[in-house]
Amino acid sequence: MADKGESLHDVILRLAENFGPAILFDAGLVAREMWPPKPDEVKGEERWRKLIRPVRAAAIGLARQGEIELVRRGEVIDPRKPFKGLYKMRLLERADLEIDGVNFDSDQDLI
């Protein structure tokens, strides 16, 4: 369950970091983290379903920033191009960079 004040971006990044780059997760999981289903909700009409489009927009934004990858049918999606259908997310695996014997991890600035 999302912490109070936690944004969609925060929830996506938290889940991605918890799962790591090897595990894919979907928009429904993110939406249910934000708005967990209530026992009295009618199946198919749960309130978390209203978040699917906002989750998609947030995921595309994070993919464009290089934080996560979007995957469809086993292939990484280019977040700059439109796509249709179901997709999953995962943490972008960051590679270390070595220049002249100095190791830079991808979170460090090179300048």
Side-chain angles (χ1 to χ4, degrees):
M1 183 170 176
D3 293 333
K4 190 172 185 170
E6 198 173 22
S7 71
L8 284 173
H9 286 86
D10 296 336
V11 172
I12 292 169
L13 288 175
R14 177 172 50 83
L15 290 172
E17 289 169 1
N18 287 345
F19 290 136
I23 298 176
L24 298 168
F25 61 98
D26 66 11
L29 179 62
V30 177
R32 288 188 299 276
E33 278 286 310
M34 293 295 291
W35 288 349
K38 294 182 178 182
D40 60 340
E41 287 182 307
V42 176
K43 186 158 179 74
E45 297 178 13
E46 299 94 344
R47 64 188 186 132
W48 62 262
R49 293 177 184 276
K50 296 176 184 172
L51 285 177
I52 294 297
R53 285 189 178 160
V55 168
R56 182 184 182 105
I60 290 170
L62 288 169
R64 286 179 178 164
Q65 293 171 16
E67 298 291 332
I68 64 170
E69 287 181 322
L70 303 177
V71 179
R72 178 166 159 68
R73 296 182 180 167
E75 299 291 326
V76 175
I77 299 169
D78 183 346
R80 296 167 297 170
K81 296 179 180 176
F83 65 92
K84 293 182 181 181
L86 300 174
Y87 65 98
K88 293 193 177 189
M89 298 166 257
R90 69 178 171 206
L91 185 66
L92 181 65
E93 191 166 8
R94 300 191 181 271
D96 289 343
L97 174 66
E98 187 172 316
I99 300 174
D100 294 331
V102 177
N103 191 20
F104 297 90
D105 74 61
S106 59
D107 292 335
Q108 291 177 312
D109 292 331
L110 296 178
I111 299 176

